[in-house]
Amino acid sequence: MGIRALAVGLGFSITGLGAAHAAPCRLDQVQLRNDLTEVSFNIELADSQPERSRGLMFREHLPRNSGMLFVFERPQRVAFWMKNTLIPLDMIFIDKTGTITLVHEGAIPGNETPIPGGDSVFAVLEINTGLARRYGISKGTVLRHKVFSKGPAIWPC
């Protein structure tokens, strides 16, 4: 099975570079790209303090092509933990330009050890564990979403 067929079967969109430029930005989707691939995830947006505090806690399942994008009012030092989180996650820390600064793979459900993201985190994308590695999502990968278009976005809407 080719990678495109595998991606479609998993519910992801993986395209050649440049194809996603034509797609409109949506509040419920984030696009990621690097030199190897482009991939998109359906997301829930957590952009208020109560939404960020609850996050993905108490959920037993996260659809494979889904995630949650936590957005802060300004870039800041953040640390996440997995208290009351039942599913293993990859945490992707992002700066104001939409560039990934750190990927923490395989956060352990229920673990209360803080996972620091750095000093200038503007957003954090949480996805099912293993997907960052599978799709080559790493430091330097850029994201496209409306929240990054309010500043010096690398890949604006």
Side-chain angles (χ1 to χ4, degrees), residues 11 13 20-31 40-45 65-66 69 143-149 155-157:
S13 171
H21 276 290
C25 280
R26 296 175 22 192
L27 285 178
D28 66 344
Q29 190 175 77
V30 65
Q31 298 165 321
S40 64
F41 291 90
N42 297 320
I43 56 135
E44 294 176 55
L45 193 60
N65 65 335
S66 299
L69 184 64
L143 280 78
R144 184 171 184 247
H145 188 274
K146 288 183 180 188
V147 299
F148 301 109
S149 294
W155 189 16
C157 289

Side-chain angles (χ1 to χ4, degrees), residues 72-86:
F72 299 93
E73 290 80 18
R74 66 188 187 313
Q76 59 192 277
R77 178 180 293 216
V78 301
F80 277 48
W81 63 357
M82 296 289 287
K83 182 178 181 176
N84 299 319
T85 304
L86 307 175

Side-chain angles (χ1 to χ4, degrees), residues 115-150:
I115 299 168
D119 293 330
S120 296
V121 176
F122 178 66
V124 179
L125 176 64
E126 291 184 343
I127 57 176
N128 284 300
T129 198
L131 295 182
R133 181 174 302 230
R134 177 176 289 169
Y135 294 105
I137 299 168
S138 60
K139 182 176 180 178
T141 298
V142 294
L143 280 78
R144 184 171 184 247
H145 188 274
K146 288 183 180 188
V147 299
F148 301 109
S149 294
K150 296 175 184 172

